[in-house]
Amino acid sequence: MRQAALRLFAAQGYRSTTMADIGAAVGIRGPSLYKHVASKHELLAEIMIGTMEHLIADNIVAVSGTDDVREQLRRSVEAHIRYHARHRLEAFVGNREIGSLDQPDQDRVLARRSDYERRFRELIEQGVAQGAFHVQSARIASYSILDMGIGVASWFHEGGEFSVDQLAYQYGDIALRIAGARLHGGTGEEPGSLR
């Protein structure tokens, strides 16, 4: 039911989707859905909150296992890109439908978004403090990096020029450059050869 709602919200928008539409997509009458879910809004909130919780959980895993702030940023960005490439509908609905959420669910999603952005910003600030990164504004750098990943959901498709992993690695390089990381070894090294 959640996946059917997600596909419909992405295709025709939350407000234009009815419970009857969702019911038809899963092969049951619209009114019967209320045995499983309280409302269409509950489905939207589950999708959007679940998306942010998944992103945060992926980020926590990404930064674990290394104390190198540059590697932590790379891994965080790669996780961000992989999620947006593999969960395009969730990303699309999550960004388009924030205004469709009622309170307190809208605040719950916005709080998780702020937490997620803060994780990237604090990594960049830490890197600046260590001399690994050089930026005027860690906040602008973190917004730029996050926006890159969000954009992936709008154009990436499997079977294209790059695999998800290739894309993630290249975006990791771009993010490190946004953060002002220095490549070692001069210009002879391949892109992504940060050590």
Side-chain angles (χ1 to χ4, degrees), residues 9-123:
F9 294 161
Q12 60 195 42
Y14 170 77
R15 298 195 187 282
S16 296
T17 300
T18 65
M19 288 294 271
D21 293 333
I22 298 168
V26 296
I28 60 176
R29 291 178 51 232
S32 299
L33 289 177
Y34 292 104
K35 296 176 182 174
H36 308 283
V37 63
S39 66
K40 180 177 75 164
H41 181 268
E42 181 178 297
L43 286 167
L44 179 66
E46 284 179 9
I47 289 165
M48 295 182 72
I49 292 168
T51 294
M52 290 313 307
E53 289 180 345
H54 193 153
L55 283 164
I56 291 167
D58 284 354
N59 181 265
I60 290 168
V61 171
V63 299
S64 65
T66 182
D67 293 327
D68 183 326
V69 71
R70 295 192 313 171
E71 186 63 21
Q72 288 179 325
L73 182 60
R74 170 180 283 287
R75 291 179 184 183
S76 294
V77 171
E78 289 180 358
H80 182 67
I81 297 299
R82 285 188 182 98
Y83 183 87
H84 283 83
R86 292 176 174 150
H87 300 275
R88 296 171 63 208
L89 297 184
E90 288 90 341
F92 182 71
V93 169
N95 285 296
R96 184 178 68 182
E97 299 293 356
I98 189 69
S100 299
L101 283 174
D102 296 333
Q103 295 296 359
D105 292 319
Q106 187 178 93
D107 282 348
R108 292 171 67 198
V109 171
L110 290 173
R112 285 164 174 80
R113 281 187 177 186
S114 293
D115 175 40
Y116 188 60
E117 181 276 328
R118 179 185 51 78
R119 293 169 183 276
F120 284 81
R121 179 168 27 95
E122 288 179 352
L123 274 180

Side-chain angles (χ1 to χ4, degrees), residues 88 148-158 162 167 171:
R88 296 171 63 208
M148 286 190 317
I150 292 166
V152 164
S154 69
W155 63 264
F156 178 79
H157 60 89
E158 294 284 354
F162 300 106
L167 188 71
Y171 271 77

Side-chain angles (χ1 to χ4, degrees), residues 4 24 83 137 165 168-169 180 185:
Y83 183 87
S137 169
D165 288 338
Y169 194 84

